[in-house]
Amino acid sequence: MIHNPQIECMPREEMRKLQSERLIKTVKTCYEKVPFYKRKMDELGVKPEDIRSIDDISKLPFTTKYDLRDEYPFNLQAVPMTDVRRIHASSGTTGKPVVDTYTENDLKNWSEGVARVMAAGDIGPGDIVQVSYGYGLFTGGLGAHEGAAVRGAVQLPTSAGNTEKQIMLMQDFGSTALACTPSYAMRLAEAIHNSDVVSIDNMKLRAGFFGAEPWTEGMRHELEEKLHIKAYDIYGLTEMSGPGVGGECEYQDGTHLWEDMFYPEIINPDTLEPVAPGEFGELVFTSLCKEAMPILRYRTRDLTRLIYEPCRCGRTAVRMDRILGRSDDMLIIRGVNVFPSQIEACLTEFPAFQPYYFITVDRVSNEDTFDLDVELKLPYFSYAPEKQMPFLKPLYDRIVSMVGIKPNIHIQPPMAIERSIGKAKHVLDKRKFKD
């Protein structure tokens, strides 16, 4: 199902015309209303009249997370507070939180983006969408909530946590869709599987909308099998409003980006130059219709590529390939680039392992160490090393083949690795405390 065929299936020539019109307006607003952007554009010798079409976007300055924190909380705002209707912010675990403010129209556009993703999962009147993202400053809960409302679905605002009650309500209320992080969906699936009280066979779930953290195809297949659903990726970031910047269609062949509202580019993260079409690089977004806090060329640090070939679903909206990882999440171990998502991809290839892991990196005698805690599922687990080896050796060989370095793998008993109700934490880099 397509929520907004006029936009989602718009011919590319018309889309570029719309993008150009919106970019020109956005740049003018940024220059006239946001001192930060006026200063940045003046430094580059760029004036609003130099931006005549979307092809001129490369003339504009980049924006980084550091800029957003330096201008904290409202220095990037382009409207008076009397026009603002809501404030959201990131967790701020590594410093000042990233803040986003919204006018009434911004909230409407945000909900529109989420609704497009939910429509791809055939969500509409009569559906009950269980929203198990956290509610509050985090954009996930209210973003999914309002998107479901636009589709005419029932919103069940369970928020994150209280897993047993979540499962009870899922069964008793007949939830047909689940929206949460993929790691929490896996926790719910695991709890349902281990329950003597409820059964997935007695539930009505048929769709899941998972985002806020990277996840692999292996995890998708496991979630679909355990929860009896079709699992859709929903992509977003606080800096661009929240979830609903894009999402998968029924063919799950890339994430459609709603480029009428968020213009995507791919650049080389080292040279900052555009890459050739279809090549991997860093994803950059420019908001095209945000009123309260418009953002020019925001460097997401997400590493991916764009696919412009037509999709079988009929949408012409550009597709984003799966995110390889974040350039700022990348670990350099013994000179090799390692993404946590690579470890998850390896784990999900082996049915005996749970998709939970924890990486610890340290430096001992001037040499990097790479320790990996993983879990075997209960039927396969044993404390005896000789019984672990038939499972450990194939995983070890696969990681060495994919990543290129040798891990010290430690097999843990089931449930030993901490489960997350929000974004999962997979890495502890002890070297940071020694440098």
Side-chain angles (χ1 to χ4, degrees):
M1 183 182 296
I2 298 177
H3 178 74
N4 189 339
Q6 182 180 358
I7 293 293
E8 296 176 60
C9 303
M10 182 178 283
R12 297 233 42 98
E13 299 77 11
E14 292 183 28
M15 176 60 70
R16 291 190 68 80
K17 181 180 178 182
L18 178 63
Q19 290 168 337
S20 296
E21 292 170 355
R22 291 182 171 179
L23 178 65
I24 291 168
K25 182 179 179 181
T26 296
V27 170
K28 188 173 186 293
T29 296
C30 286
Y31 191 82
E32 295 177 353
K33 304 290 186 180
V34 185
F36 168 82
Y37 281 121
K38 184 179 188 305
R39 184 173 69 252
K40 285 283 190 179
M41 289 175 64
D42 286 345
E43 288 172 359
L44 294 175
V46 179
K47 300 295 182 184
E49 53 267 27
D50 296 325
I51 307 303
R52 298 183 176 88
S53 77
I54 198 70
D55 295 326
D56 294 320
I57 198 166
S58 60
K59 298 176 182 178
L60 296 170
F62 289 104
T63 309
T64 68
K65 184 165 289 189
Y66 301 107
D67 294 327
L68 302 187
R69 287 174 177 158
D70 288 344
E71 301 300 316
Y72 171 92
F74 305 125
N75 288 343
L76 290 179
Q77 195 166 285
V79 300
M81 195 59 76
T82 51
D83 290 343
V84 172
R85 295 295 177 267
R86 194 186 297 171
I87 301 171
H88 279 284
S90 66
S91 60
T93 54
T94 58
K96 291 283 189 181
V98 170
V99 175
D100 199 0
T101 60
Y102 306 74
T103 65
E104 194 69 41
N105 198 49
D106 290 337
L107 292 173
K108 180 181 177 182
N109 287 331
W110 179 18
S111 301
E112 161 76 12
V114 178
R116 292 179 192 177
V117 183
M118 291 194 173
D122 204 24
I123 299 302
D127 279 301
I128 299 176
V129 180
Q130 184 162 330
V131 181
S132 300
Y133 287 110
Y135 280 69
L137 285 178
F138 174 59
T139 57
L142 284 168
H145 183 106
E146 298 296 344
V150 171
R151 288 298 304 160
V154 177
Q155 307 105 60
L156 179 56
T158 51
S159 193
N162 203 345
T163 300
E164 288 186 6
K165 187 174 183 180
Q166 294 256 7
I167 294 170
M168 180 189 75
L169 297 179
M170 187 182 294
Q171 177 172 265
D172 294 350
F173 290 3
S175 302
T176 56
L178 173 65
C180 62
T181 63
S183 55
Y184 190 55
M186 188 62 72
R187 181 176 177 182
L188 288 167
E190 188 176 63
I192 292 170
H193 180 75
N194 294 330
S195 174
D196 295 326
V197 180
V198 298
S199 169
I200 193 64
D201 293 327
N202 296 329
M203 296 186 183
K204 297 181 179 179
L205 280 182
R206 58 182 177 80
F209 301 96
F210 307 130
E213 62 189 17
W215 50 304
T216 62
E217 283 297 313
M219 182 177 278
R220 184 212 297 278
H221 296 323
E222 190 158 352
L223 285 171
E224 290 185 333
E225 180 181 348
K226 288 184 173 180
L227 292 176
H228 299 182
I229 60 172
K230 188 156 187 170
Y232 298 87
D233 185 46
I234 181 168
Y235 177 78
L237 55 163
T238 302
E239 298 83 352
M240 289 293 118
S241 289
V245 171
E248 289 181 316
C249 67
E250 60 270 30
Y251 291 100
Q252 300 172 318
D253 188 19
T255 299
H256 289 281
L257 299 176
W258 310 134
E259 52 184 324
D260 58 308
M261 296 188 280
F262 313 100
Y263 182 76
E265 302 174 77
I266 301 291
I267 65 167
N268 182 311
D270 297 319
T271 66
L272 306 185
E273 294 296 322
V275 303
E279 287 189 5
F280 281 89
E282 180 182 342
L283 182 63
V284 171
F285 277 114
T286 295
S287 61
L288 294 179
C289 51
K290 284 183 69 179
E291 295 176 339
M293 200 171 280
I295 301 290
L296 301 179
R297 304 192 80 195
Y298 180 72
R299 295 186 59 186
T300 67
R301 300 292 182 176
D302 289 335
L303 301 176
T304 184
R305 69 185 182 109
L306 297 179
I307 305 167
Y308 284 95
E309 286 79 11
C311 182
R312 289 172 286 170
C313 70
R315 293 173 179 84
T316 56
V318 65
R319 285 170 289 152
M320 175 181 71
D321 207 341
R322 273 204 169 266
I323 294 173
L324 298 178
R326 291 176 58 88
S327 59
D328 49 1
D329 283 346
M330 182 181 73
L331 297 163
I332 301 178
I333 307 174
R334 302 170 204 157
V336 176
N337 297 342
V338 178
F339 292 99
S341 57
Q342 292 175 301
I343 303 303
E344 183 181 304
C346 290
L347 276 174
T348 55
E349 292 179 12
F350 297 92
F353 285 97
Q354 297 278 22
Y356 300 103
Y357 64 96
F358 196 83
I359 299 169
T360 304
V361 184
D362 203 350
R363 185 175 293 119
V364 178
S365 300
N366 293 319
E367 184 175 347
D368 291 340
T369 61
F370 175 24
D371 288 272
L372 175 63
D373 289 311
V374 296
E375 285 183 17
L376 276 172
K377 295 177 181 176
L378 188 59
Y380 308 102
F381 178 74
S382 170
Y383 284 102
E386 65 273 13
K387 292 186 177 180
Q388 292 181 358
M389 188 56 65
F391 303 105
L392 189 152
K393 183 63 166 61
L395 177 63
Y396 174 89
D397 290 341
R398 182 68 180 111
I399 291 174
V400 172
S401 172
M402 176 177 282
V403 179
I405 58 173
K406 300 176 181 178
N408 300 312
I409 301 178
H410 311 282
I411 292 181
Q412 305 293 348
M415 304 301 294
I417 296 174
E418 182 181 359
R419 271 48 169 170
S420 172
I421 62 173
K423 292 187 178 183
K425 296 178 177 62
H426 294 301
V427 178
L428 174 60
D429 190 345
K430 294 183 177 180
R431 299 172 301 179
K432 296 179 179 179
F433 307 108
K434 297 181 177 181
D435 293 336

